[in-house]
Structures are given as C-alpha cells and as structure tokens.
Amino acid sequence: MSQTAALSAASAGAPLEATVIERRDLRDDDIAIDIAAAGICHSDIHQVREEWGTAIFPMVPGHEIAGVVSAVGDGVTRYNVGDRVGVGCMVDSCGDCGYCKDGQEQWCVQGAVMTYNGEGYDGEPTMGGYSQQVVVSERFAVRIPDALDLDVAAPLLCAGITTYNPLKRWGAGPGTRVAVVGLGGLGHLGVKFAAALGAEVTVLSQSLAKQADGERFGATDYRATSDPSTFTDLAGSFDLILNTVSANLPFDQYLALLRPTGAMVNVGAPSEPSSFQAFSLIGGSKVLAGSNIGGIPQTQEMLDFAAAHGIAAEVERISANQVNEAYDRVVASDVRYRFVIDTATIGA
Ligand code: NAP
Ligand code: ZN
C-alpha cells in the first residue's frame, strides 16, 4: 500500500477536506499515475450531495483524471513510466462479456466498477481523482496526445466522451442541425465536437450571457430558453438535441424543436423523475433517448479526434481549498467551463 493526499467528503453533503488515503500495491496489470489535474464534473456534486441515492462515504470524488505514469506492474504492456495518461469514469469491468469484448465496458453485465463511489471486484471501495496518485489497471487508462496539456485534457475523460459518443451515434455531421442545451462542462465540449464533426450547431442556454463564447466554440446560432420566441422560431428545426442540463426540463417544449424522426438525447442526469406527453413523440415519430459516457476504445478515439481538431476543455484552474466554493458555482451555472483542481495543492 502507498499513501497519497486526497480530498474527501466524510458524509453526504459534507465539505471536501484534505486527508490521506491508501492506494493498493501494483497488481500485474496495474499502473500508478501521478495525477496532475482533476476535473470537477457535476456528477461529482450529485454524488457528494447524495442526489442520486445512497452513496459510499467517505468519498473521494473525481473521474476526470490526467497525469503521468510513475510505476508499472510486471505484466503491463501498454504504458511506460513517463507516459501521459488519463482515467475516466470506470476502473474495471469483467472483461469477458460481449459488451466488454466489444469495448463497451460501461454496459458490462457484471457491472463496470466506477472510479469512485463504487466497489471493486475485491470488495474495496473505490476512491477517485481528487488525489495526488491513483492505481488502475492499464486496461482503463488512455493515452493523452502530446498536443493536449494535462489540465485541459482532464475534462475530456468524462465530459468529452459523454458528448462525443452520442454525437457520433446519432450522426452529427455535415447537413445536420444539432442543438446543445446548457453551456456548462459537457455542453461546451458538445458544441466543439458537434462543430468539428461538421454539424450546424445552436446553443440553447438560459440566457445570452455566454453567447460570444458559444460562437467561439463553433455555434452559429445561440438562443435564450428564457425567451418564449426561441421555441416558436426554432420549432421543427433540429435533427438532434443534446441535453446536458443537470435539472429537469419541460420535455414537450424541447421535443417540438425536433424535425420528424429527430432525436433528443439526454446526458444530463437530474435526480427527479421527468415527464412528457406521448403525443410529443408520436406526431413526428421522434426519439427520446439517453447516453452513458462511452467505452475505453471510443474514449481513446475521442482524445485523438480532439488533438487532431484542436479541441480542449476551457478550464478555470483552482487549488484544493477552492473546491467547495467551486461546487456552489457549478450549481449556480457560474462555470466557464470546467473547474480543474491542481492536485499538487492538496494538503499543501
Ligand atoms: P454543468 O457544468 O453544471 O452544466 C450544466 C448546464 O446546464 C449549466 O451550465 C447551465 O447552462 C444549464 N442548466 C443548469 N441548471 C439549469 C436549469 N435549471 N434549467 C436550464 N438549464 C440549466 O454540469 P456538467 O458537468 O456539464 O453535467 C451536466 C449533467 O450531465 C449533470 O447532471 C451530470 O451529472 C450529467 N452527466 C452525465 C453523464 C452521462 O454519462 N450521461 C456524464 C457526465 C455528466 P446554461 O447556463 O448555458 O443554461
Ligand atoms: Zn462526469
């Protein structure tokens, strides 16, 4: 076992405080990573505040991890000490089921092991990336291209793959019109990826406050959802709506913005149930769908695509003692566009 500094919440809703945790000895296929940067995803807040049901405490959140390999197990073949790597939302899966074999580890029939607020197959609780070091199987690490700095790459490990995956699956590309709802951590990367894939992108935000940024990220249209004319002007416009909002939306209003057969894909994960009228789908044979992160091969594909297209997260770097305040700012939609923790400041 080795010890490492981390930020931990003692119980549901408790503030994050510096502590020391243990990481396991390297197994054959393990790598140890010196973490340089850890992104703050809204999912971290949902889980620390136990908004998604019972969670495991003490909790060290963090599933947007970027760092450098510091040691490798005897059987490691993919990475060497000094390699720049990332870890996202998963740290293990059975490796044997059809989904794992297909590189869709997030659907593993045994249950993928989440990076934190999860339990490993060894029965130990998992501890995430708000920490200075992590030990993980090389199968759940991805290579960070040299073109991407570690702090702007970290958010790609969750926010990046979560938006890239549904954009690819639902065919965002030349000749398609895509709306991204919510210009936060996921949303700003959704805009960048959709534009790089060749789609015509509209941002639907609560206000026009971030319009210049949205256009810089690649949107050609930017509308405020607080303005009722948005919903009349844009009725029947989109092939795809990517909903990244962490709270419930009035679905019927948004479904009316789809063209016939268009899809509204939800990645935002509010804690309360949602509702919609069946007729909002029936009329234009529309689709209401969801999407969950993405597998390891596609996460690598996304990072390589990002590097090739000059896509990185827009980040606000913070030190460990600013994390609790950052949580409140994310909840208040006051983030531009991802907080990233400089992990060197934990316990400093
Ligand atoms: P975020 O940075 O807080 O972004 C969410 C954005 O939604 C806000 O910036 C805001 O954008 C908008 N918004 C917030 N509250 C709203 C409200 N009441 N009404 C309308 N719009 C509102 O969060 P994030 O880290 O991007 O995560 C977004 C959601 O995705 C969270 O629920 C998270 O748990 C979930 N998530 C899901 C997956 C998955 O695999 N499906 C993966 C990661 C995260 P504007 O200011 O532009 O309106
Ligand atoms: Zn996340």
Side-chain angles (χ1 to χ4, degrees):
M1 296 273 208
S2 62
Q3 293 197 320
T4 182
L7 289 174
S8 174
S11 58
L16 288 148
E17 289 175 347
T19 186
V20 171
I21 59 167
E22 302 212 308
R23 296 298 191 186
R24 66 176 181 245
D25 291 333
L26 294 192
R27 298 172 184 156
D28 264 9
D29 64 334
D30 275 344
I31 59 175
I33 302 168
D34 282 342
I35 301 173
I40 295 180
C41 177
H42 205 121
S43 302
D44 301 343
I45 303 171
H46 287 307
Q47 290 174 88
V48 166
R49 297 185 176 176
E50 226 173 36
E51 292 170 355
W52 287 346
T54 308
I56 302 169
F57 294 93
M59 183 189 294
V60 175
H63 57 207
E64 294 184 337
I65 301 171
V68 176
V69 176
S70 60
V72 299
D74 292 339
V76 166
T77 57
R78 299 182 200 181
Y79 298 105
N80 294 306
V81 171
D83 286 352
R84 303 161 80 249
V85 293
V87 176
C89 297
M90 300 178 285
V91 288
D92 207 359
S93 72
C94 82
D96 243 6
C97 72
Y99 299 118
C100 286
K101 289 205 159 117
D102 204 27
Q104 303 283 6
E105 299 87 350
Q106 73 280 17
W107 302 330
C108 172
V109 295
Q110 306 277 340
V113 177
M114 296 293 110
T115 303
Y116 69 89
N117 190 23
E119 193 181 286
Y121 292 153
D122 58 4
E124 294 293 323
T126 53
M127 299 280 174
Y130 297 7
S131 165
Q132 291 180 340
Q133 200 185 53
V134 67
V135 171
V136 62
S137 163
E138 65 169 340
R139 293 180 294 116
F140 286 85
V142 286
R143 197 172 287 281
I144 295 180
D146 288 341
L148 295 170
D149 286 339
L150 293 177
D151 50 1
V152 295
L156 298 174
L157 275 301
C158 173
I161 183 62
T162 300
T163 49
Y164 181 83
N165 174 352
L167 289 167
K168 292 282 285 192
R169 174 177 170 198
W170 294 93
T176 62
R177 291 187 74 184
V178 174
V180 175
V181 193
L183 196 70
L186 268 58
H188 90 287
L189 288 167
V191 172
K192 290 187 178 196
F193 281 125
L197 288 165
E200 187 183 323
V201 186
T202 299
V203 175
L204 301 175
S205 179
Q206 293 166 97
S207 75
L208 297 179
K210 297 176 277 191
Q211 178 166 7
D213 289 341
E215 289 170 356
R216 183 162 54 86
F217 303 153
T220 51
D221 196 6
Y222 197 106
R223 304 293 181 106
T225 53
S226 52
D227 179 351
S229 71
T230 293
F231 291 92
T232 45
D233 288 358
L234 297 177
S237 292
F238 299 109
D239 301 285
L240 176 63
I241 298 175
L242 182 63
N243 173 21
T244 75
V245 173
S246 48
N248 254 316
L249 293 181
F251 274 119
D252 301 295
Q253 258 189 306
Y254 285 84
L255 291 168
L257 302 182
L258 290 172
R259 286 179 178 161
T261 75
M264 175 165 175
V265 180
N266 297 286
V267 291
S271 50
E272 299 302 318
S274 312
S275 73
F276 64 92
Q277 293 283 349
F279 282 110
S280 299
L281 296 175
I282 291 169
S285 301
K286 294 172 183 175
V287 180
L288 184 60
S291 189
N292 183 23
I293 51 173
I296 299 299
Q298 196 183 36
T299 304
Q300 186 66 62
E301 175 191 312
M302 175 276 306
L303 284 169
D304 296 342
F305 181 92
H309 290 82
I311 293 174
E314 309 282 320
V315 305
E316 192 173 327
R317 294 165 194 82
I318 59 170
S319 56
N321 61 12
Q322 295 173 290
V323 168
N324 295 304
E325 180 196 335
Y327 271 29
D328 291 336
R329 286 185 51 196
V330 171
V331 171
S333 303
D334 177 22
V335 53
R336 297 189 183 199
Y337 284 84
R338 200 56 141 186
F339 289 110
V340 170
I341 306 164
D342 173 1
T343 51
T345 61
I346 299 175

